[in-house]
Amino acid sequence: MTVRHHCARALRGLARRTSTWVALAAVMAPTIAATQGTATTEALRLASPDGRNEVTVLVREGGLYYAVSRKGRPIVTPSRLGFTFRGAPPLKDGLRITGSSNAAHDETWSQPWGEVARVRDHHNELKVSVEETQPPGRRFVVAFRAFNDGVGFRYELPAQDALRDFTIMEELTEFAMADDARAWWIPSFRFNRYEYLYRASPVSTLDTVHTPLTMETKDGTHVVIHEANLVDYASMNLRANKEQDRTLHAVLAPMADGSAVTARTPFHTPWRTIQLADRAADLVPSVLGLNLNPPNVITNTSYITPMKYNGIWWGMHLGTWSWESGAKHGATTANTKRYIDFAAANALGGTLVEGWNIGWDGNWIENGDKFSFTQPYPDYDLQGVAAYAKSKRVALIGHNETGMGVANYERQLDSAFALYQSLGITAVKTGYVGDKTRAGDAHHSQLMVRHFRKVVETAAKYGITIDAHEPIKDTGERRTYPNMMTREGARGQEYNAWGGEGGNPPEHETILFFTRLLSGPMDYTPGIFDIFLTSAGKPRTPEQPRPRTTLAKQLALYVVLYSPLQMAADLPENYEGKAPFQFIRDVAVDWDTTRVLTGKIGDYVVVARKAKGKDEWFVGGITDEEGRTFDLPLNFLGAGKRYVAEVYADGPGAHWRDNPLPVAIARRPVSATTTLRMVLAPGGGQAIRIRAQR
């Protein structure tokens, strides 16, 4: 069924529901006149299906503006739209609205994997046609979609004589916040990677920050600005004015020559998204960006398998091994087989191997053009290891660090992926350490966006899934290419190995849940059991703070921080004989349903997820530096059924600062009428498996 036919059917359904149609017609009345082909100076309005979110579009003094409100309260006040170009006048003044059109859409689609199995795409759409009143008379369209959970809009530039080939220097999109909301943010210095601790401050104090940007207004409304379907365009950052006002400006990551985007018409930008919720807990699961991406284009998804995995990785960060060849080389045949054996014996689906290939010797960050992605070091038998993994029914996960030598990587993509396919390797972790390409293009520039898409598309051709580290941010493309499974894109677990600041603070993951994780899955690499070692592999001294976590919190992270690929990141010997490891063996990685039971950004979060295709739930709760107690109604369980809860809680005296290891394991019968008490130690967590009794 075409979208046009689907929308027509949806509108006929709305017409049958008289009250709904009257409400829809009321908010779109000015648009109906515009659709008849007459220019309009009236404000055009679009409401979400539930009527709570509303977009207003208008021309003011020749400029095109939009505004967003929720339940009648302004969220984004009138904000300018437009562009500046190289060698051409800006597209921002002397504009008029020449027409508009409307559509309504309601469908439910299925994901091959995800936080939820089924996603409803229910929105109303307004397309506004705009033209310059003076030569060169360029035309464009701004498409708005209003959902119950937020708003998306994008520019569409049709083919026209007045605008063919063009170079965008600046996108003039603004987000003029009505409230000096509290924002949780990470800086975007030089348009680089995302590995920073989050800070919180009023919007008016921000400089240049990454998205997603999560904000809480004074009335408690939560607002998240991000983007969706980022393809062949530069990544968007946000910058506030120096005059301490509340207007955020789109800032595009630059190419080496200072330009942002080079393209030709017809062309459309990514969607700019504004997610809206009354409570922090209502932000998750976030599906707004998924609904603004095209449907899945991969016919055969059988190779796309959510799983837990281990790997030769943590030992490098501890200093036990190295990526480089020599006496400490970690990626040896014998070591890899040991990891595969451990994975096979403990219900782990895969084994990652870093440092197996030629190119790591010397300063590999500066010599990214020297990596080979097909030639192993002499002490690593690639074919033999792949055959051994297959015999053990363990997926061998390849690793391709580029050091930002992206041209070198692209030259080898087909040959490398063809080799992996021939060996039965269906998953690859990529890496992009470095802030710029060799030519000076920003890490999130149009060139790099094109590169990341090329890698995902090539991987799909060879039946390979991708776990990207130092990535471009997630903008929902996993709907179109579900082989793009997970990525890093934030300050992860490795910072807990290096010491220094003492690793990630207790609040870190409670912020990630409501910020970075709103864009998509994150490979945080949880599950560290020995949290006493330094990056030199030696016991920490009083001058070297321990990682600020408890062991029970490490278990809870498997439920809280979503990823379809979850790593048991510690060394195998640190799991052997440890009873809490049973939770890692048991926890699911693919879900039918996700429910946030309670949460406050930077303080705590408790989330429940139902394993796909099973009557089995997992609950994870984490807190910041304060201990907390929650009483959790289990009314999400099946009514009238009996369940058993297996609880992995912080043990007596547990504390992130000086006693992180105690874990109390208990079993108890529960049902939908049970209220379960969850007690979290300072910096701690709790993980629960709830399964139906036979």
Side-chain angles (χ1 to χ4, degrees):
M1 181 180 293
T2 67
V3 171
R4 177 179 295 176
H5 289 164
H6 183 93
C7 293
R9 188 176 70 176
L11 282 171
R12 288 196 296 270
L14 285 172
R16 287 193 295 269
R17 297 190 293 274
T18 304
S19 61
T20 304
W21 170 248
V22 170
L24 184 64
V27 298
M28 294 183 174
T31 306
I32 295 172
T35 306
Q36 295 171 352
T38 59
T40 180
T41 58
E42 296 182 79
L44 307 179
R45 291 182 174 84
L46 172 72
S48 58
D50 65 4
R52 293 190 297 175
N53 301 326
E54 184 174 279
V55 180
T56 303
V57 188
L58 69 157
V59 171
R60 188 173 68 186
E61 298 179 353
L64 184 66
Y65 291 79
Y66 79 99
V68 177
S69 64
R70 180 172 174 83
K71 295 189 290 189
R73 295 192 297 273
I75 300 296
V76 179
T77 59
S79 303
R80 182 181 283 274
L81 299 167
F83 299 95
T84 64
F85 298 100
R86 172 179 285 167
L91 189 57
K92 66 173 184 175
D93 297 314
L95 303 175
R96 65 172 181 165
I97 295 174
T98 59
S100 61
S101 63
N102 302 110
H105 186 86
D106 192 4
E107 69 168 330
T108 300
W109 53 277
S110 297
Q111 301 191 88
W113 52 266
E115 287 181 276
V116 293
R118 302 270 289 165
V119 178
R120 187 181 184 188
D121 178 1
H122 190 197
H123 69 262
N124 295 324
E125 182 179 75
L126 167 66
K127 287 194 171 187
V128 181
S129 299
V130 184
E131 185 177 58
E132 290 179 304
T133 58
Q134 301 294 326
R138 293 167 293 185
R139 296 176 287 112
F140 65 99
V141 173
V142 184
F144 294 88
R145 291 184 184 175
F147 302 80
N148 293 343
D149 57 343
V151 169
F153 64 91
R154 74 178 181 186
Y155 302 87
E156 299 175 356
L157 305 175
Q160 55 192 289
D161 291 338
L163 186 63
R164 292 182 177 177
D165 298 295
F166 61 91
T167 297
I168 297 172
M169 299 302 293
E170 185 178 10
E171 183 181 320
L172 300 178
T173 303
E174 296 177 345
F175 303 85
M177 304 305 298
D179 187 309
D180 197 10
R182 187 184 188 195
W184 285 265
W185 55 275
I186 53 175
S188 180
F189 301 128
R190 303 185 307 279
F191 306 96
N192 60 355
R193 293 177 289 137
Y194 311 99
E195 295 175 17
Y196 299 98
L197 292 176
Y198 277 82
R199 310 176 199 176
S201 65
V203 168
S204 60
T205 66
L206 301 184
D207 190 350
T208 305
V209 299
H210 283 296
T211 70
L213 176 67
T214 301
M215 296 165 280
E216 182 179 3
T217 67
K218 290 181 174 60
D219 69 2
T221 301
H222 287 74
V223 184
V224 183
I225 298 177
H226 192 41
E227 56 184 322
N229 195 26
L230 175 58
V231 181
D232 199 13
Y233 203 80
S235 173
M236 180 184 72
N237 302 271
L238 298 171
R239 181 182 63 226
N241 274 345
K242 298 300 183 183
E243 289 78 15
Q244 300 274 301
D245 73 4
R246 301 188 297 269
T247 300
L248 298 169
H249 300 261
V251 181
L252 302 181
M255 300 284 284
D257 66 358
S259 66
V261 176
T262 299
R264 70 181 309 171
T265 57
F267 184 79
H268 62 75
T269 70
W271 294 91
R272 279 63 188 96
T273 62
I274 305 171
Q275 187 181 350
L276 299 167
D278 295 331
R279 307 179 306 144
D282 295 334
L283 292 172
V284 180
S286 177
V287 298
L288 179 63
L290 291 176
N291 279 327
L292 290 168
N293 273 264
N296 175 19
V297 298
I298 298 177
T299 303
N300 177 18
T301 60
S302 60
Y303 67 92
I304 304 173
T305 307
M307 64 181 170
K308 291 164 287 188
Y309 70 99
N310 66 353
I312 299 172
W313 173 77
W314 187 245
M316 282 80 148
H317 293 286
L318 293 177
T320 306
W321 306 316
S322 70
W323 289 275
E324 297 85 354
S325 61
K328 294 179 68 175
H329 188 216
T332 66
T333 298
N335 203 20
T336 303
K337 288 184 176 180
R338 181 171 70 93
Y339 268 78
I340 291 170
D341 289 342
F342 183 84
N346 289 281
L348 304 180
T351 293
L352 164 73
V353 185
E354 293 201 6
W356 64 273
N357 56 312
I358 298 294
W360 291 92
D361 296 336
N363 190 328
W364 47 270
I365 296 177
E366 294 181 359
N367 298 315
D369 57 344
K370 296 182 179 178
F371 280 107
S372 169
F373 302 103
T374 57
Q375 185 178 357
Y377 278 117
D379 58 357
Y380 186 75
D381 178 6
L382 176 60
Q383 284 77 10
V385 166
Y388 188 77
K390 186 176 182 179
S391 73
K392 294 287 186 174
R393 297 187 177 181
V394 172
L396 185 63
I397 303 173
H399 181 247
N400 293 167
E401 173 57 56
T402 69
M404 285 295 285
V406 294
N408 175 53
Y409 192 33
E410 289 189 8
R411 284 193 295 269
Q412 300 183 58
L413 266 181
D414 279 287
S415 59
F417 286 0
L419 172 63
Y420 305 157
Q421 182 186 52
S422 71
L423 297 175
I425 298 171
T426 60
V428 170
K429 174 181 175 181
T430 60
Y432 295 87
V433 174
D435 289 336
K436 294 182 179 181
T437 66
R438 297 294 180 270
D441 307 292
H443 196 288
H444 310 317
S445 64
Q446 182 186 25
L447 180 143
M448 287 301 297
V449 170
R450 287 173 173 168
H451 169 76
F452 280 106
R453 178 55 67 102
K454 179 181 179 66
V455 171
V456 172
E457 291 177 351
T458 306
K461 183 170 68 172
Y462 290 98
I464 291 172
T465 63
I466 296 295
D467 171 5
H469 279 231
E470 300 84 35
I472 192 72
K473 61 190 174 185
D474 194 328
T475 62
E477 59 272 11
R478 64 191 184 279
R479 179 184 181 185
T480 311
Y481 286 94
N483 67 315
M484 180 61 252
M485 297 193 73
T486 191
R487 68 191 78 198
E488 189 184 37
R491 181 173 158 126
Q493 182 81 268
E494 65 269 24
Y495 284 81
N496 284 331
W498 301 337
E501 299 174 353
N504 298 324
E507 67 176 12
H508 183 56
E509 297 89 353
T510 70
I511 298 175
L512 286 179
F513 184 81
F514 295 109
T515 53
R516 160 64 184 85
L517 270 292
L518 295 179
S519 68
M522 181 183 175
D523 187 22
Y524 186 79
T525 61
I528 300 304
F529 276 29
D530 189 341
I531 57 181
F532 289 93
L533 297 181
T534 67
S535 58
K538 299 177 181 178
R540 295 179 186 267
T541 68
E543 291 75 31
Q544 296 171 309
R546 293 174 181 145
R548 290 170 274 187
T549 179
T550 66
L551 196 156
K553 185 175 187 177
Q554 290 293 307
L555 301 179
L557 292 178
Y558 284 89
V559 184
V560 174
L561 300 184
Y562 172 65
S563 178
L565 303 177
Q566 288 281 28
M567 189 179 197
D570 211 337
L571 307 179
E573 54 266 32
N574 291 335
Y575 293 132
E576 292 174 349
K578 305 290 176 59
F581 185 63
Q582 185 61 44
F583 183 82
I584 297 177
R585 294 189 184 99
D586 294 335
V587 67
V589 289
D590 195 15
W591 310 102
D592 274 335
T593 305
T594 291
R595 296 188 183 183
V596 180
L597 305 184
T598 186
K600 185 176 180 182
I601 305 174
D603 290 343
Y604 56 87
V605 60
V606 182
V607 61
R609 304 188 194 268
K610 182 179 180 294
K612 180 174 282 189
K614 297 181 180 180
D615 192 5
E616 184 173 21
W617 289 78
F618 291 85
V619 181
I622 61 174
T623 184
D624 60 1
E625 70 280 357
E626 295 185 20
R628 302 180 191 275
T629 299
F630 301 102
D631 290 319
L632 306 176
L634 303 184
N635 50 18
F636 50 81
L637 299 177
K641 294 184 177 180
R642 294 185 301 167
Y643 295 82
V644 60
E646 299 166 358
V647 181
Y648 297 77
D650 289 312
H655 196 293
W656 67 266
R657 183 181 293 112
D658 53 19
N659 194 28
L661 297 182
V663 176
I665 304 174
R667 292 165 54 96
R668 58 166 294 186
V670 296
S671 69
T673 62
T674 301
T675 296
L676 198 63
R677 173 155 288 190
M678 174 179 282
V679 180
L680 307 180
Q686 188 172 131
I688 307 170
R689 179 192 187 194
I690 304 175
R691 52 196 176 93
Q693 288 185 311
R694 292 184 175 85

